[in-house]
Amino acid sequence: MTAIEFCDRAPIENVISTLTTAPDKIIFVGEGKAAKRFFNAHKAYIEDKKLGITIDFKSIKKNDLSSIVETLSDIVEKEDSCVFDLTGGEDLALVAMGIVYEKYSHKDIQLQRFIIENGVVTDCDNDQRVIYSGAPLLSVDDHILIHGGAVRYKKDEMVKTVRWELTDDFVKTVKFLWEIARKDPQKWNNQSAVLAYLNNYASDNEPLSISVDLAEVEAKFEGFTTKYVDVKPLLKLLFENDVISEYSHKGSVISFSYKDGLTAKCIKTAGAMLELKVLVTAAELKDENGKPYYNDALSGVFIDWDGAFHGARDEKADTENEIDVVLMKGLVPVFISCKNGKFEEEELYKLDAVASRFGGKYVKKVLIATDLGSLSDKTKEALSQRAVDMDISILRGVHKIDDDSKFAEMLRSLTGKGTRAQMIEF
């Protein structure tokens, strides 16, 4: 069976046949560099997944109806069995398809359309037959790949994106730390900043172990006292709850050890707790059948714009952006920016640019925030209105949610056909 895809500006619509019909061959039909770029991105996806599908590209002039009809007729005459995916494509190409379908009514031709938001296949030729191999699910990596980029996990041996291993112990730790952080987000940010600074005094042989004389640090580094927040009560609490493995303080000297590198990253990275709270809650969320509501979830996602990784010695540098959390609901991506405190309007533009480029036509754009800080009410309202105008939902004051089930329902509400940008304050 041969599937025919009409190249569209929404890359996900160009790969529906690959995901839903399991064809032997796919022919992409389109015009110009953009269509060819989409073709190359899907070729990379097919090769990455080792699907063994033969692919081809037919160039058309999108404003020349007779030329399109001729190209489609040639395909139908040469292929034994064809399924045309009408999910995407230019209007004139779809008109041409109608002409060809009527002309070759004696041939085995299927016309169908896939509804991205709910996974339903529409039988466009009304012959009571659809070619469908099951509801497709895409990972975050696959979705970015289809859109011409790649998730960056390593660069010059430096790990960037991390797929957290959500063990029971790690999930418990995240939930415990979030309960501390949400009670006073600004204080948590300050404590994390101090602990990150004290990490400079980690042992060379034991990088997770720190012993430091705070009086010595204060005398050596001018301005430290203006940034310092007493972290001893926090460290004591973490030790008592097995989040850190060792803790002691004698006079101005404190010593402590993180139990592992991931826990250390959670604690000394100020914005990590909100990201991880969203990640863990989304990963645990179930649908009405007890299956995962989101089929993939990834935090701290570094996206390479062209999918070609360049080393430090390469003349060409990588263009990268980070998205705090990306969730996948079937084929629908949710791009989330997490802010544990105030943020500038620029953050909205950054989220919009990356989500539009790599999220595509069906992306849900969300900014999840705690307190917006010292901004005036007028500034907050203007910021919120700008976000809604950019089709970005803002969920602010999430640290006030004191029930895990309510936090989960907030994340569940982000998807669904017809879901629109909203501004909610808790």
Side-chain angles (χ1 to χ4, degrees):
M1 179 187 65
T2 299
I4 295 86
E5 286 283 354
F6 295 99
C7 289
D8 192 273
R9 292 182 180 181
I12 191 62
E13 293 183 345
N14 301 332
V15 76
I16 290 301
S17 293
T18 303
L19 300 174
T20 64
T21 61
D24 303 304
K25 179 180 180 180
I26 299 178
I27 299 175
F28 292 87
V29 178
E31 178 189 60
K33 294 181 179 179
K36 196 67 176 179
R37 185 174 67 249
F38 293 148
F39 169 77
N40 289 334
H42 300 323
K43 179 180 179 182
Y45 173 76
I46 289 169
E47 291 174 350
D48 181 71
K49 296 300 176 184
K50 298 180 174 58
L51 298 178
I53 299 174
T54 301
I55 59 175
D56 194 7
F57 180 81
K58 298 293 184 181
S59 181
I60 59 170
K61 295 179 180 179
K62 64 180 182 180
N63 295 318
D64 186 339
L65 180 60
S66 61
S67 173
I68 302 173
V69 169
E70 183 179 343
T71 299
L72 298 182
S73 297
D74 183 62
I75 292 172
V76 171
E77 288 175 0
K78 290 180 178 178
E79 305 297 330
D80 293 331
S81 177
C82 296
V83 53
F84 285 83
D85 173 43
L86 307 183
T87 306
E90 299 285 347
D91 291 344
L92 211 55
L94 300 180
V95 170
M97 184 62 252
I99 295 173
V100 171
Y101 180 73
E102 181 68 24
K103 178 180 177 182
Y104 293 94
S105 58
H106 61 284
K107 294 276 289 185
D108 182 10
I109 300 175
Q110 293 296 311
L111 305 181
Q112 56 191 53
R113 174 175 290 170
F114 185 83
I115 309 302
I116 301 290
E117 295 94 337
N118 59 20
V120 174
V121 179
T122 302
D123 179 17
C124 297
D125 52 28
N126 293 316
D127 67 351
Q128 310 304 313
R129 180 187 173 202
V130 295
I131 310 299
Y132 186 49
S133 61
L137 302 175
L138 280 179
S139 68
V140 174
D141 299 77
D142 292 340
H143 186 85
I144 300 301
L145 179 61
I146 286 170
H147 285 75
V151 176
R152 163 80 72 181
Y153 286 95
K154 221 171 204 186
K155 181 179 182 181
D156 300 328
E157 301 308 315
M158 181 176 71
V159 174
K160 285 204 167 183
T161 307
V162 175
R163 273 203 176 270
W164 300 85
E165 187 178 355
L166 301 183
T167 63
D168 291 343
D169 183 60
F170 183 69
V171 169
K172 180 180 177 182
T173 297
V174 168
K175 291 182 177 180
F176 175 75
L177 292 175
W178 170 248
E179 285 304 309
I180 298 173
R182 78 175 188 84
K183 291 176 182 177
D184 191 337
Q186 188 55 56
K187 182 179 179 180
W188 173 264
N189 289 345
N190 293 338
Q191 290 172 324
S192 293
V194 170
L195 291 172
Y197 180 76
L198 295 182
N199 199 65
N200 293 318
Y201 293 85
S203 166
D204 291 336
N205 297 326
E206 298 180 42
L208 297 179
S209 297
I210 297 168
S211 183
V212 58
D213 187 331
L214 295 177
E216 180 182 325
V217 173
E218 180 181 346
K220 188 175 181 180
F221 294 96
E222 183 180 354
F224 180 72
T225 53
T226 62
K227 301 177 182 178
Y228 177 69
V229 176
D230 189 2
V231 294
K232 293 191 291 292
L234 173 62
L235 290 171
K236 184 173 184 294
L237 179 63
L238 298 181
F239 176 66
E240 291 172 346
N241 286 273
D242 299 321
V243 177
I244 59 176
S245 57
E246 297 176 16
Y247 169 69
S248 68
H249 71 93
K250 296 179 181 179
S252 60
V253 177
I254 62 171
S255 301
F256 60 96
S257 296
Y258 296 106
K259 64 180 182 180
D260 55 58
L262 294 182
T263 303
K265 184 175 181 179
C266 291
I267 296 171
K268 65 186 182 182
T269 306
M273 284 320 307
L274 179 55
E275 291 180 26
L276 289 172
K277 172 62 177 177
V278 171
L279 178 73
V280 165
T281 305
E284 290 185 330
L285 196 58
K286 305 296 182 184
D287 64 16
E288 62 275 9
N289 298 315
K291 296 181 179 180
Y293 185 81
Y294 289 106
N295 49 283
D296 196 18
L298 195 59
S299 69
V301 185
F302 284 83
I303 300 175
D304 186 285
W305 277 60
D306 64 2
F309 298 155
H310 305 284
R313 297 181 180 180
D314 290 350
E315 291 184 7
K316 184 176 180 180
D318 287 312
T319 300
E320 295 179 351
N321 285 98
E322 181 187 10
I323 292 294
D324 293 329
V325 180
V326 180
L327 309 176
M328 291 299 304
K329 172 65 174 171
L331 302 180
V332 177
V334 184
F335 278 52
I336 302 175
S337 178
C338 297
K339 298 299 172 187
N340 194 34
K342 68 178 182 179
F343 58 92
E344 303 296 330
E345 189 175 295
E346 180 185 0
E347 294 298 327
L348 299 177
Y349 291 99
K350 287 165 59 178
L351 173 60
D352 181 62
V354 182
S356 297
R357 172 66 176 80
F358 294 102
K361 181 178 178 180
Y362 301 95
V363 69
K364 308 297 183 182
K365 297 174 287 187
V366 185
L367 194 148
I368 297 179
T370 52
D371 190 358
L372 296 187
S374 57
L375 297 178
S376 67
D377 290 341
K378 185 176 180 180
T379 301
K380 291 177 183 178
E381 290 306 316
L383 196 64
S384 298
Q385 186 57 54
R386 176 59 62 89
V388 172
D389 290 343
M390 298 171 72
D391 203 26
I392 298 174
S393 293
I394 285 190
L395 310 178
R396 75 189 201 200
V398 296
H399 62 296
K400 299 175 185 177
I401 302 176
D402 58 4
D403 186 326
D404 275 353
S405 64
K406 292 180 180 178
F407 201 102
E409 286 309 306
M410 175 189 73
L411 295 183
R412 187 190 300 273
S413 71
L414 301 180
T415 62
K417 189 174 182 180
T419 303
R420 297 182 179 275
Q422 55 189 323
M423 193 276 287
I424 299 176
E425 182 164 10
F426 296 93

